[in-house]
Amino acid sequence: MNNNQNGKPTTGRLGVTMPISEAFPTPEDEESTERLIETLWSEGLFESEEESMRREVVLGKLAEMVKEFVRRISLRRNHPESIANEAGGKIFTFGSYRLGVHGSGSDIDTLCVVPKHVQREDFFEEMLDMLRRRQEVTELTAVPDAFTPVIKMKFSDIPIDFTFARLGLSSIPDSLDLSDDSLLRNLDDRCIRSVNGSRVTDEILRLVPNIPAFRTALRCVKLWAHRRAIYSNMMGFLGGVAWAMLVARVCQLYPNACAATIISRFFSILHQWRWPQPVLLKPIEEGPLQVRVWNPKLYPADKAHKMPIITPAYPSMCSTHNVTDSTKAVILSELKDAAELVNKIMVERIPWANLFTKDDFFSRYRHYLQVIASSDSEERHLRWSGFVESRIRHLVTKLERVDNLVLAHPYIKGFSKVVQYKTEAEKDDAAHGKFHTAPVDQADSSTDSVESKTMYTSIYYIGLCIPAREAGSTGHRKMDLYRPKDEFTEMVKSWDKFDAQSMGVVVQHIRSCELPSELQDDVDHKKNKRAKSGKKSAAVDARPPNKKRRGSANQNGVTSDAASAASADTSGTPSVSSPAVKNEVSAVATPVAPQV
């Protein structure tokens, strides 16, 4: 039996296998779910009714603007007024808003669908101009050259990511349903990606047996992934769609379970998953178009994916192609720790809030790599830092090939700072992450008459995990960072929009004691909390050691559930072992060459 949107039992089966268990929740499970929901409310994950209504008003205004936009372009293309008035145009939402797991301040992923005579250039000119003229629209930015072209803005203070798709239809009726595969015919790759954002979201909802339980569980997982700093597709971790598909797959395996049970099974199954065996919500389908569908038997690039999570809408794609060996190891380590913690939450009834503690990235390692992007204007820096950030994962893969380096762990976001400087020395210091904050009365009087200039910087971090020195070994060990540093610098500077006069990038090694003061303050705060709680503070990796889960595998079903789920989702890809995340416990630091 499965459940519908209201959680009522229905018949049928969803997914590529039979469910592991169709048991209904016990009173203890229901009580754990209630405690979870209370915790999610206390974390501010639910928006107010007022904000919800404001979102609906904004979407209504956008829908009207799209119809007017299509009408204007139709008249410009010399269509009769009667036909222009019926040309239509429609918006579709996707992502967290469509899934029903958005919170206060979350953006709305919105797709603008138009008929065939409206071009993408029209969207980034006429529609952009229409938005610019609206008083409710602020922070308007167009990114037409992105992998998926987008207009970003705030509409009545609601963040909107506005994408575009042009279908091969003469008009777009209000009744249009994007689930029809034939609508993808003759679309370019960018339009297919845009349309599939909405199609994948709708298909996930269709394939979930109990939508209320799914939404609560997904809110929990998203908050946990954010707090543990493993929520970022760009940096090589998992993005929102991938996390949603993982939760949906566990819901299929336990169709009648409540949210607390889904969360417990989620972590216990996925930290033991037999990667690179893919996670599938339904069998991969061949469609009517000559487009590439994910197939590791046919495409070597698909076979190389570390943690394939496959989208359910045609054409099926891997949503996790950015995952590297290092980020995979970090994700699996976090999943395992969470499985042990949730077991305690369920059995010992400790607070759910313990699951959502902040990451310990800046106290975990002795060595870090800094990547500093700098520019001389805010607009230029937005493009330059975004490009550098999008290439950080390539630096990670280069570092993974360095001897004596176990793991290269990227942090999921950068830290921006605007700096005022007067001298070339101050400019060079800022470009290398050294920011002077001397009081005005202590400033160098020789530069009083010099006009200040502005530099915009964004700093990204990669933690370097070095193995402990083997017993009895002598002499220095070295890590040669010259090659990955130079190759990365050359790669980003080869960007066709790079300007050496106004943009810069520096890659350099620092020790944990050289981290910026604000990050060290955060580390010191965590150490103080651990000291008050009586816990030992490890030199680098402060996470608790792994402990045996309460109960045997037969009692809680963890091992058998993971094996059943993973063995059923077959794809023909070979199983490979995952690199373990090792604690950096070397008493004598490994020399790092160079100080780049």
Side-chain angles (χ1 to χ4, degrees):
M1 298 176 69
N2 293 320
N3 298 326
N4 61 15
Q5 291 191 10
N6 299 315
K8 297 179 180 179
T10 60
T11 58
R13 190 197 86 189
L14 296 172
V16 295
T17 66
M18 292 296 294
I20 291 175
S21 172
E22 294 183 295
F24 286 88
T26 65
E28 292 77 12
D29 295 335
E30 295 283 10
E31 190 270 341
S32 291
T33 298
E34 289 299 321
R35 290 193 294 120
L36 172 60
I37 293 174
E38 289 175 3
T39 302
L40 297 179
W41 271 100
S42 69
E43 293 285 354
L45 295 193
F46 299 87
E47 68 179 0
S48 66
E49 184 176 348
E50 178 185 357
E51 186 174 356
S52 179
M53 292 179 62
R54 193 162 78 248
R55 288 179 185 272
E56 294 181 10
V57 171
V58 166
L59 290 174
K61 291 180 178 180
L62 270 180
E64 293 176 0
M65 289 185 68
V66 166
K67 291 183 183 294
E68 174 60 20
F69 160 64
V70 173
R71 192 186 76 85
R72 292 185 184 183
I73 300 302
S74 300
L75 292 173
R76 191 176 300 170
R77 301 283 191 270
N78 296 320
H79 289 212
E81 186 169 355
S82 60
I83 294 179
N85 292 337
E86 297 297 325
K90 186 176 181 179
I91 64 170
F92 294 84
T93 59
F94 57 102
S96 62
Y97 181 80
R98 178 71 181 93
L99 289 172
V101 295
H102 61 288
S104 179
S106 298
D107 62 3
I108 305 179
D109 295 310
T110 310
L111 171 66
C112 169
V113 176
V114 300
K116 60 184 178 182
H117 58 272
V118 180
Q119 305 295 322
R120 181 175 286 106
E121 291 75 16
D122 299 324
F123 180 73
F124 284 98
E125 293 173 5
E126 182 66 26
M127 174 57 79
L128 188 66
D129 186 62
M130 291 173 63
L131 290 167
R132 190 178 289 115
R133 295 173 183 272
R134 300 285 299 228
Q135 293 183 347
E136 312 100 305
V137 175
T138 58
E139 300 181 27
L140 183 64
T141 305
V143 193
D145 299 326
F147 186 66
T148 302
V150 63
I151 292 176
K152 293 177 173 288
M153 61 181 155
K154 283 189 176 180
F155 199 122
S156 298
D157 293 327
I158 301 294
I160 303 286
D161 281 359
F162 206 19
T163 54
F164 171 90
R166 166 179 169 263
L167 302 185
L169 304 174
S170 58
S171 64
I172 304 297
D174 291 337
S175 59
L176 179 69
D177 183 355
L178 293 180
S179 63
D180 183 359
D181 291 346
S182 65
L183 292 175
L184 302 178
R185 198 179 302 278
N186 298 324
L187 300 191
D188 63 29
D189 289 344
R190 288 175 293 181
C191 282
I192 290 178
R193 286 194 293 270
S194 295
V195 171
N196 258 13
S198 178
R199 283 162 53 87
V200 167
T201 304
D202 288 347
E203 194 70 359
I204 290 173
L205 290 175
R206 189 184 69 81
L207 293 168
V208 169
N210 184 335
I211 290 181
F214 164 75
R215 284 174 169 160
T216 300
L218 182 54
R219 284 185 187 275
C220 173
V221 169
K222 284 166 65 74
L223 176 61
W224 166 80
H226 274 293
R227 293 283 172 84
R228 301 309 301 169
I230 53 174
Y231 191 110
S232 173
N233 178 61
M234 182 181 293
M235 286 296 185
F237 295 100
L238 308 189
V241 172
W243 288 117
M245 289 190 288
L246 289 180
V247 174
R249 182 66 187 118
V250 178
C251 287
Q252 291 178 338
L253 296 172
Y254 299 90
N256 297 320
C258 60
T261 302
I262 295 297
I263 291 299
S264 175
R265 297 309 186 204
F266 175 89
F267 291 116
S268 63
I269 287 174
L270 290 172
H271 93 266
Q272 301 176 81
W273 192 265
R274 297 173 182 174
W275 305 106
Q277 207 158 272
V279 173
L280 304 167
L281 295 184
K282 70 176 190 180
I284 295 176
E285 300 173 351
E286 295 295 332
L289 309 178
Q290 295 297 316
V291 295
R292 176 170 169 168
V293 176
W294 188 81
N295 188 337
K297 296 180 179 179
L298 187 60
Y299 303 111
D302 292 350
K303 188 175 182 179
H305 292 155
K306 312 295 183 182
M307 299 179 69
I309 303 171
I310 309 306
T311 58
Y314 173 82
S316 293
M317 304 176 186
C318 179
S319 64
T320 50
H321 59 274
N322 289 340
V323 173
T324 72
D325 284 328
S326 292
T327 55
K328 174 188 174 183
V330 173
I331 293 168
L332 293 180
S333 177
E334 292 290 350
L335 286 168
K336 185 176 182 180
D337 289 348
E340 296 170 354
L341 185 54
V342 171
N343 183 59
K344 290 184 177 180
I345 291 172
M346 299 291 285
V347 176
E348 301 176 13
R349 296 170 57 82
I350 66 174
W352 277 100
N354 290 8
L355 182 63
F356 307 123
T357 56
K358 192 178 183 301
D359 67 272
D360 57 352
F361 177 83
F362 292 104
S363 63
R364 188 178 298 188
Y365 304 104
R366 295 181 188 272
H367 299 274
Y368 294 86
L369 213 59
Q370 269 186 336
V371 179
I372 307 170
S374 58
S375 309
D376 65 356
S377 77
E378 184 174 8
E379 182 179 355
R380 188 176 288 114
H381 187 66
L382 183 66
R383 297 195 304 270
W384 172 233
S385 63
F387 178 77
V388 171
E389 182 179 13
S390 71
R391 295 298 183 271
I392 295 292
R393 68 179 185 275
H394 296 288
L395 176 56
V396 170
T397 58
K398 296 177 187 299
L399 290 168
E400 288 173 346
R401 296 192 287 267
V402 173
D403 291 338
N404 290 322
L405 185 61
V406 174
L407 180 142
H409 178 178
Y411 197 59
I412 60 173
K413 65 177 182 179
F415 299 85
S416 297
K417 182 169 289 190
V418 180
V419 183
Q420 300 293 323
Y421 69 91
K422 291 185 177 181
T423 67
E424 285 300 312
E426 290 177 349
K427 178 182 179 181
D428 186 67
D429 282 349
H432 285 77
K434 299 177 182 178
F435 305 111
H436 302 282
T437 56
V440 174
D441 57 0
Q442 298 180 15
D444 186 353
S445 59
S446 64
T447 63
D448 287 347
S449 60
V450 179
E451 183 179 355
S452 294
K453 297 181 181 179
T454 304
M455 174 182 288
Y456 298 83
T457 66
S458 293
I459 306 179
Y460 306 93
Y461 291 89
I462 301 174
L464 305 178
C465 185
I466 303 169
R469 184 186 298 276
E470 296 181 2
S473 63
T474 59
H476 293 295
R477 297 171 299 166
K478 292 186 177 181
M479 290 192 306
D480 182 7
L481 301 180
Y482 276 114
R483 176 171 292 180
K485 173 258 185 183
D486 290 344
E487 289 178 351
F488 175 78
T489 303
E490 182 180 352
M491 177 177 62
V492 295
K493 287 186 175 181
S494 65
W495 186 40
D496 59 356
K497 296 181 177 61
F498 175 73
D499 178 13
Q501 298 302 314
S502 60
M503 302 174 182
V505 61
V506 171
V507 183
Q508 60 187 10
H509 159 257
I510 62 170
R511 297 178 184 273
S512 56
C513 60
E514 299 173 297
L515 287 167
S517 58
E518 59 269 22
L519 298 180
Q520 291 194 40
D521 290 343
D522 188 42
V523 170
D524 292 340
H525 176 68
K526 291 176 183 175
K527 288 181 178 178
N528 290 336
K529 289 181 68 177
R530 286 195 295 271
K532 291 179 181 179
S533 66
K535 296 180 181 178
K536 290 186 177 181
S537 178
V540 174
D541 194 335
R543 292 171 296 175
N546 294 333
K547 297 180 181 179
K548 187 175 181 181
R549 291 173 57 89
R550 294 174 60 89
S552 68
N554 289 335
Q555 288 174 323
N556 58 33
V558 172
T559 301
S560 60
D561 288 359
S564 299
S567 62
D569 289 12
T570 57
S571 70
T573 52
S575 179
V576 297
S577 59
S578 302
V581 178
K582 300 180 181 179
N583 295 350
E584 192 182 1
V585 294
S586 175
V588 181
T590 299
V592 180
Q595 298 280 343
V596 291

